[in-house]
Amino acid sequence: MSWSPYNGDRYLDFPELEAWCHALVEAHSDWMSLVEIGKSREGRSIWLITVGAQSGDLDAKPAFWLDGGTHAAEWTSVMAVLHTISRWAEKLDAGDEETMARFKETTAYVAPCISPDGFQAMQEGSPFLRSSCRPPLPGSHPVGLRPADLTGDGAIRWMRWRHEAGPWVADPDAPMFMRHRRLDDRPEEAFFFCSEGTFLHWDGVAWADAPREFGLDLNRNFPGSWAPFRMFGMDGGAYPLSEPESRSVVDAVAARPNIAVALTNHTYTGCILTQPYRDPSPLGQADIDLFEKLAEGAVEGTGYRVIKTHPDFVYDPKVDIVGVWSDTLSTTFGIPGYTLELWNPYSFAGVEIEKPAEFFRKPDPALIRQLVVAFTKDPAMVSPWVTVDHPQLGEVEVGGIDYMRTIRNPPEALLPAEVGRGAVVADRMLSATPRLNVTLKTEKRDGVTIVDAVVENLGYLPTAASVHARQLELVPPLRLDLSHDDGVTIIDGELTQTLEHLEGWGSLQVSSARHAVYPGLGARSTRARVRWVVQGSGSVSVKWTAVRAGSGSVSTAL
């Protein structure tokens, strides 16, 4: 397969994704490499693309992590990753100076699809599954309705049948919308209403849902504040990192300590989720404010909004959200980590939802009606009710929207714009890494030479990426090593010296530089100095190592 840019013109399945990634890297070998960081339960590869000038030490540069496909149904999250890399590749091909300079100074690690098994299963028409295809526990005996495509149209839609005990009735003014039955509705108008499917181990009487076949939520299996979790028929695994997919990406990040900021793509809501995830938070207020400020800058002009996970994106205010990947990035690794919820079906329908997660638990029927009506205006998005001879129930009706290409992901016609927004956010996160710069100044005085290394952080984020990382010593201090020719003698100053971490210009904006009427410089600086006193003539060099802010060297002749 020869490489061609991906602009979101259609949804790719996993084999197509793999072929595209291999072709991309082969066509851009000066700038990209591809490694397998793990295997899924079913043996599919979890790929990582490293973007940056391949002639340099990629792991010694400030880095950005980007991924998608944690949740199997969220195809847009994967497509946005592909489009982001595609845009970088096109700019590199065109010789764009800004992009080339960026990737000479910065590294991007990109994992397009974390849950390839579930992703491919849903591409092939599987019923909704959250993440991977982890099998049910041995001895499980599911009883009840299991979703299935009865009509063979490639989508799992809705199913209804009349019964006087049914809790639903049809809305005559919105044919595809089913509303709650009222006390004064006639019994003969009532329906049972559910996903299309068939009953497992049915006794011929009870109408109930079977447990999910694949109930694992990979985004509750990460170590950040992990605890046993069950909600909506899903669980967080037997223990943190019990799944090969979650362990693969955690190990990949742990092996790359230069990562300073991270973005994990999801759907849906049209927002970016930031800290805190719970109250009290392991993070201090300075980090919470900094992460929110960066999120605001990243989504500016995209139509996305910034939502603090707690208290505004929790399903149940009494239940903590646990084991989340972006929260693990922040609280375990001290990396500003974000969840980008691509695609806003509510906005498409002209609906505003203040607290989207709470809306899952307490839906407003009027807003749901508006959502359904908006999507059923386009015949390509909906199938009218058709009568089907159900193998167990007899005559039923099947119809409704294609959930995977309306609510969970945008219709293909709207996909290019959505992945474009995702690429904008990713580009801005990439530009936010810390960036250490060191210059040497010399001054001759009384027979000796004073060598000053002026160390400054030119990046948005602090050199440790967060206060949390600095306080827990997750990132070592800045290190400067002096070397010299034989003709130079050290009079004062250790050859190796360390500095405390430096602020970034973004962190100043949430502290001393917050208020334009009361500006200040703050207690911590973006700049520092290291000094040596030497004698003689020759060359001196200073090598610096800042882990998340980069490394390099500079020399001068005395």
Side-chain angles (χ1 to χ4, degrees):
M1 174 185 181
S2 60
W3 181 77
S4 59
Y6 175 73
N7 297 314
D9 54 310
R10 66 186 183 90
Y11 292 103
L12 306 185
D13 65 17
F14 190 71
E16 290 174 315
L17 177 154
E18 284 190 300
W20 187 88
C21 288
H22 280 86
L24 165 78
V25 171
E26 185 176 343
H28 301 90
S29 57
D30 289 344
W31 293 99
M32 300 182 187
S33 61
L34 182 68
V35 295
E36 181 187 86
I37 58 172
K39 291 280 193 185
S40 68
R41 275 186 173 268
E42 296 182 350
R44 290 183 175 86
S45 296
I46 301 171
W47 295 107
L48 185 72
I49 299 172
T50 301
V51 186
Q54 300 292 302
S55 56
D57 185 352
L58 295 165
D59 295 336
K61 300 173 183 178
F64 165 56
W65 173 277
L66 174 66
D67 68 53
T70 303
H71 288 148
E74 297 170 5
W75 301 341
T76 311
S77 70
V78 177
M79 303 306 121
V81 171
L82 299 185
H83 178 60
T84 298
I85 319 173
S86 183
R87 291 207 331 180
W88 292 341
E90 288 184 275
K91 290 179 180 180
L92 292 168
D93 287 344
D96 181 78
E97 293 184 3
E98 183 179 348
T99 304
M100 294 174 72
R102 174 70 66 194
F103 284 115
K104 288 176 181 177
E105 297 176 345
T106 315
T107 300
Y109 300 113
V110 182
C113 188
I114 292 177
S115 295
D117 297 345
F119 175 83
Q120 184 58 23
M122 293 220 64
Q123 286 280 334
E124 294 173 357
S126 166
F128 180 85
L129 58 93
R130 189 59 164 164
S131 293
S132 73
C133 296
R134 181 203 63 185
L137 291 173
S140 298
H141 184 70
V143 175
L145 183 75
R146 177 64 54 80
D149 177 10
L150 300 179
T151 62
D153 68 351
I156 295 178
R157 304 182 191 270
W158 300 321
M159 180 170 74
R160 68 183 187 180
W161 64 95
R162 292 186 184 274
H163 193 280
E164 62 182 1
W168 302 90
V169 297
D171 185 328
D173 298 320
M176 300 313 301
F177 177 69
M178 299 293 289
R179 67 165 174 83
H180 281 159
R181 178 179 175 179
R182 303 180 184 125
L183 292 174
D184 53 359
D185 286 325
R186 296 195 307 273
E188 60 268 24
E189 296 176 334
F191 284 89
F192 277 90
F193 177 50
C194 58
S195 169
E196 64 173 310
T198 56
F199 290 91
L200 301 177
H201 307 116
W202 192 40
D203 64 2
V205 176
W207 293 334
D209 290 319
R212 293 182 186 273
E213 183 177 8
F214 303 114
L216 176 78
D217 186 345
L218 199 65
N219 208 31
R220 297 295 184 271
N221 189 239
F222 291 97
S225 299
W226 188 91
F229 164 87
R230 293 201 72 85
M231 187 178 288
F232 306 134
M234 297 174 286
D235 68 88
Y239 53 87
L241 303 183
S242 62
E243 304 309 304
E245 298 88 351
S246 55
R247 184 169 293 276
S248 293
V249 293
V250 166
D251 287 348
V253 167
R256 294 162 177 81
N258 54 324
I259 296 171
V261 62
L263 183 69
T264 177
N265 284 346
H266 286 253
T267 68
Y268 58 97
T269 295
C271 72
I272 190 168
L273 301 179
T274 185
Q275 293 284 342
Y277 272 72
R278 62 197 54 82
D279 185 19
S281 171
L283 302 181
Q285 194 61 46
D287 280 339
I288 292 171
D289 290 348
L290 173 61
F291 292 9
E292 182 180 14
K293 181 73 172 178
L294 175 53
E296 290 170 349
V299 301
E300 183 178 358
T302 63
Y304 296 159
R305 56 179 170 145
V306 178
I307 297 181
K308 290 184 176 181
T309 306
H310 180 88
D312 297 326
F313 206 86
V314 292
Y315 299 98
D316 183 340
K318 297 178 182 178
V319 179
D320 283 343
I321 292 182
V322 298
V324 174
W325 179 216
S326 57
D327 186 43
T328 297
L329 285 160
S330 298
T331 58
T332 302
F333 293 103
I335 297 168
Y338 299 90
T339 297
L340 181 65
E341 297 282 357
L342 295 147
W343 175 232
N344 190 348
Y346 307 120
S347 178
F348 173 85
V351 172
E352 292 296 327
I353 307 294
E354 183 180 353
K355 294 187 175 182
E358 185 178 282
F359 187 75
F360 285 107
R361 206 167 53 92
K362 295 181 178 180
D364 181 334
L367 298 185
I368 294 293
R369 183 184 190 277
Q370 193 171 338
L371 194 67
V372 172
V373 168
F375 282 114
T376 54
K377 288 179 180 177
D378 185 344
M381 299 183 194
V382 65
S383 174
W385 295 110
V386 295
T387 301
V388 172
D389 185 15
H390 192 278
Q392 295 156 316
L393 299 174
E395 187 174 289
V396 301
E397 292 178 281
V398 172
I401 58 175
D402 179 355
Y403 170 78
M404 288 297 297
R405 294 172 181 82
T406 52
I407 305 294
R408 182 58 64 174
N409 300 283
E412 285 192 347
L414 302 180
L415 183 60
E418 204 59 40
V419 298
R421 281 186 276 271
V424 168
V425 177
D427 282 346
R428 289 171 175 169
M429 289 291 179
L430 173 68
S431 71
T433 59
R435 182 163 63 91
L436 205 68
N437 184 67
V438 178
T439 56
L440 294 182
K441 295 183 179 181
T442 61
E443 178 186 352
K444 291 187 180 297
R445 186 189 303 170
D446 299 329
V448 298
T449 302
I450 297 171
V451 180
D452 284 339
V454 178
V455 184
E456 54 186 339
N457 178 18
L458 305 178
Y460 182 98
L461 289 169
T463 55
S466 68
V467 175
H468 188 66
R470 171 167 58 83
Q471 291 178 339
L472 295 185
E473 299 181 354
L474 300 175
V475 184
L478 310 180
R479 172 174 168 164
L480 291 91
D481 295 287
L482 181 77
S483 60
H484 55 84
D485 289 344
D486 292 341
V488 177
T489 302
I490 304 297
I491 303 299
D492 187 42
E494 297 291 333
L495 287 176
T496 297
Q497 299 191 44
T498 60
L499 288 171
E500 290 188 6
H501 283 285
L502 302 175
E503 294 296 327
W505 60 267
S507 50
L508 293 182
Q509 289 184 343
V510 294
S511 58
S512 53
R514 184 190 297 264
H515 203 302
V517 175
Y518 306 105
L521 300 175
R524 299 179 62 86
S525 179
T526 61
R527 313 177 82 218
R529 183 196 70 183
V530 171
R531 172 168 286 183
W532 294 270
V533 180
V534 304
Q535 213 170 35
S537 61
S539 177
V540 296
S541 297
V542 173
K543 178 183 178 181
W544 72 86
T545 304
V547 185
R548 289 182 177 174
S551 63
S553 62
V554 63
S555 302
T556 190
L558 304 180

